[in-house]
Amino acid sequence: MMRQFELVERVKAYDPAADEGALNRAYVFSMKAHGAQLRASGDPYFSHPIEVAGILAEMKLDAASIITGLLHDTVEDTVATLEDIERLFDPDIAKLVDGVTKLSRLELQSDQTKQAENFRKLVLAMSEDIRVLLVKLADRLHNMRTLHFLKDEERRRRIARETMEIYAPLAERIGMHEMKDELEDHAFAELHPDARASLMARLAFLREKGEGMAERIMEELQETLTSGGLTAEVSGREKTPYSVWRKMQQKNVGFEQLSDIMAFRVVVDTVEQSYHALGVIHSRYSVVPGRFKDYISTPKPNNYRSLHTGVIGPERQRIEVQIRTREMHEVAELGVAAHWVYKQGAPRTEGRQYRWLRELLDILEHASDPQEFLEHTKLEMFQDQVFCFTPKGDLIALPRGATPVDFAYAVHSVIGDTCVGAKINGRLAPLRTQLANGDQVEVITS
Ligand code: MN
């Protein structure tokens, strides 16, 4: 567990103006409030808020967010009150803690209440201050890291599903890719342990077989770019088991065909250099058709910017290359949190990249009930996803283009395996039909 001075030092390292006294008070307040409570892991409960604060410090968030992380469970789980927090800290922090507490209450009820309603409240709560969502995501991340300690399997699976359906997409929506990847991987481990284990074994096998290959590819890419007159930073990373699994399902490729497991990244200084680097790579290697995407001239809705291409690269390997500037890179990895890196204490829900959040809020205010809200076509802003319902009204989020078969697998693998037909909004529909937002899907099994 991180000690008090370590946390303070970590925050001071990126934000020298952070209120040291308030950070110390929050640490002690949380420790005292949680007292002798224990986690399922057997650790003292207060290790949890401290870990959450640590995750937020890694994201280089402002002191108010770190303090909220330390205090986030005190109102819900101890005798401490919002008034105490307002008195000891400031009204701003009390508001943030209140927002996170409200979200936690939603979670506790989610068995009884409809997920659509939860989702609506979630968006409302986070729209007041994006930091509420950031703290909630850090809270969820630590809970997912320690999920295996929970004894109740049904509860573990429910939390994992909720993470996959709601929190990972939200993390992606605000551009926090690292957070999204880790959330997904923990949920994947809980929901499909066998699939994940086989994938990990396959990845290990490919890694061993291609020993040193990633390094050789990076070296050659680096040389190619240097001789093209560019100063670039080249790195490589293995795709996550979950992203590989999803690709296998979407494209129907088998385990044996699975070779494209590395993605390479080229980071340069300017936009011009990004296109220059693309030109150098394309003139040296054969391009794989259909893989080029220009997210610099047309950013994704979450403000992600990068050039993507696929080439037959060094070692005659099919590789994926992403090219971007340093600033784009920070935004791609950290999403909204990157703003604190660039200008301390800056935004809440202002700025262009939060337009989707404001639009969402707008829809919320004008839709009379949550079902209508989700059916609302303006949910198009979640351009990469569709939201559908089970006959009982549970919300299932799927990638855009998903069919009733994907839906069936998302509900349960047994249902997927035995699926022979589907009714969409009460009518029989072919299994290849693409689902639309708000569709109610009933799977017919054999
Ligand atoms: Mn918590």
Side-chain angles (χ1 to χ4, degrees):
M1 188 172 46
M2 205 187 332
R3 285 189 286 171
Q4 191 170 340
F5 75 91
E6 287 174 298
L7 178 67
V8 174
E9 259 173 25
R10 239 188 247 189
V11 178
K12 292 292 249 185
Y14 62 82
D15 182 6
D19 185 347
E20 201 170 318
L23 282 167
N24 282 318
R25 279 204 308 284
Y27 192 104
V28 173
F29 183 88
S30 174
M31 210 161 127
K32 279 192 182 151
H34 289 293
Q37 289 174 342
L38 293 180
R39 297 267 290 172
S41 60
D43 287 331
Y45 193 93
F46 63 79
S47 65
H48 165 65
I50 289 165
E51 291 300 330
V52 171
I55 293 170
L56 294 163
E58 250 165 61
M59 287 153 62
K60 297 194 167 62
L61 293 189
D62 66 342
S65 308
I66 312 288
I67 291 169
T68 305
L70 288 168
L71 303 177
H72 81 274
D73 277 331
T74 56
V75 173
E76 186 65 18
D77 297 340
T78 78
V79 294
T81 63
L82 272 180
E83 290 71 46
D84 294 337
I85 290 172
E86 204 174 318
R87 189 161 36 78
L88 281 161
F89 301 93
D90 68 73
D92 225 29
I93 288 178
K95 243 177 147 178
L96 287 168
V97 173
D98 189 35
V100 182
T101 305
K102 280 180 183 147
L103 287 187
S104 308
R105 285 190 186 138
L106 284 182
E107 247 162 49
L108 294 175
Q109 303 168 355
S110 64
D111 280 337
Q112 299 99 318
T113 51
K114 298 251 184 292
Q115 262 183 325
E117 175 64 18
N118 277 353
F119 184 70
R120 179 177 190 251
K121 288 187 188 153
L122 183 69
V123 173
L124 269 176
M126 75 194 196
S127 60
E128 282 174 24
D129 191 325
I130 195 86
R131 289 176 297 182
V132 169
L133 177 62
L134 297 176
V135 175
K136 189 64 217 169
L137 284 172
D139 175 41
R140 179 50 66 115
L141 182 59
H142 184 246
N143 285 336
M144 289 305 290
R145 283 179 183 169
T146 52
L147 187 69
H148 57 280
F149 287 116
L150 290 183
K151 294 223 165 53
D152 181 348
E153 191 193 338
E154 195 35 55
R155 192 161 155 236
R156 281 202 315 267
R157 293 184 65 87
R158 181 176 63 71
I159 294 172
R161 268 198 303 274
E162 199 180 53
T163 299
M164 204 62 118
E165 287 162 11
I166 301 209
Y167 290 97
L170 276 174
E172 180 170 35
R173 174 56 40 188
I174 57 171
M176 308 187 69
H177 285 96
E178 269 179 55
M179 169 80 81
K180 178 206 135 221
D181 284 347
E182 195 183 338
L183 285 171
E184 273 178 354
D185 192 49
H186 291 302
F188 186 38
E190 176 60 40
L191 296 171
H192 304 280
D194 298 340
R196 183 169 176 274
S198 342
L199 270 169
M200 304 271 279
R202 177 72 184 170
L203 291 174
F205 168 76
L206 290 172
R207 208 178 297 136
E208 200 167 310
K209 201 179 100 193
E211 232 229 293
M213 191 166 70
E215 287 72 22
R216 292 196 298 276
I217 292 176
M218 281 192 276
E219 233 167 77
E220 195 185 313
L221 276 177
Q222 186 81 64
E223 277 166 24
T224 304
L225 291 164
T226 308
S227 60
L230 279 157
T231 313
E233 208 173 281
V234 179
S235 60
R237 111 200 119 84
E238 204 170 87
K239 293 179 182 171
T240 66
Y242 179 70
S243 71
V244 174
W245 188 71
R246 218 166 93 161
K247 195 167 268 179
M248 279 171 65
Q249 300 228 313
Q250 276 170 0
K251 300 203 169 149
N252 244 323
V253 298
F255 226 49
E256 280 61 45
Q257 292 152 273
L258 184 61
S259 57
D260 187 13
I261 58 161
M262 291 287 293
F264 295 87
R265 189 168 288 148
V266 173
V267 176
V268 292
D269 289 329
T270 66
V271 171
E272 288 71 30
Q273 285 168 0
S274 302
Y275 288 103
H276 183 179
L278 179 77
V280 170
I281 289 171
H282 277 188
S283 47
R284 169 78 184 265
Y285 306 107
S286 325
V287 175
V288 178
R291 298 294 290 274
F292 173 65
K293 295 211 175 69
D294 185 346
Y295 295 119
I296 290 184
S297 67
T298 315
K300 285 194 188 184
N302 64 9
N303 221 28
Y304 173 85
R305 300 171 81 203
S306 230
L307 299 172
H308 288 191
T309 189
V311 295
I312 310 293
E315 314 250 321
R316 313 272 329 133
Q317 285 287 315
R318 211 177 131 135
I319 58 168
E320 191 184 299
V321 185
Q322 303 172 347
I323 306 165
R324 54 176 77 146
T325 68
R326 179 146 310 283
E327 190 180 343
M328 290 172 195
H329 180 61
E330 298 271 0
V331 172
E333 295 296 306
L334 294 169
V336 292
H339 288 275
W340 276 277
V341 181
Y342 280 96
K343 35 180 181 172
Q344 290 294 338
R348 303 241 173 125
T349 44
E350 293 132 29
R352 203 169 69 90
Q353 56 272 54
Y354 302 121
R355 208 183 56 205
W356 66 274
L357 197 54
R358 281 206 304 272
E359 283 172 358
L360 203 50
L361 198 63
D362 216 42
I363 298 168
L364 285 168
E365 275 163 9
H366 295 106
S368 53
D369 71 297
Q371 201 93 350
E372 185 196 326
F373 151 64
L374 280 169
E375 282 166 15
H376 207 289
T377 48
K378 275 198 196 159
L379 209 64
E380 295 295 322
M381 68 189 61
F382 284 85
Q383 281 171 10
D384 41 4
Q385 287 194 298
V386 285
F387 294 87
C388 303
F389 296 93
T390 67
K392 281 189 196 152
D394 288 333
L395 175 71
I396 307 278
L398 295 161
R400 184 151 291 269
T403 64
V405 180
D406 300 313
F407 182 91
Y409 274 104
V411 175
H412 197 283
S413 60
V414 175
I415 297 181
D417 288 341
T418 56
C419 159
V420 290
K423 279 186 183 174
I424 299 176
N425 303 320
R427 282 202 191 153
L428 276 171
L431 284 174
R432 58 170 194 282
T433 313
Q434 290 201 1
L435 297 173
N437 271 322
D439 277 350
Q440 193 194 65
V441 185
E442 188 183 334
V443 177
I444 304 165
T445 54
S446 60

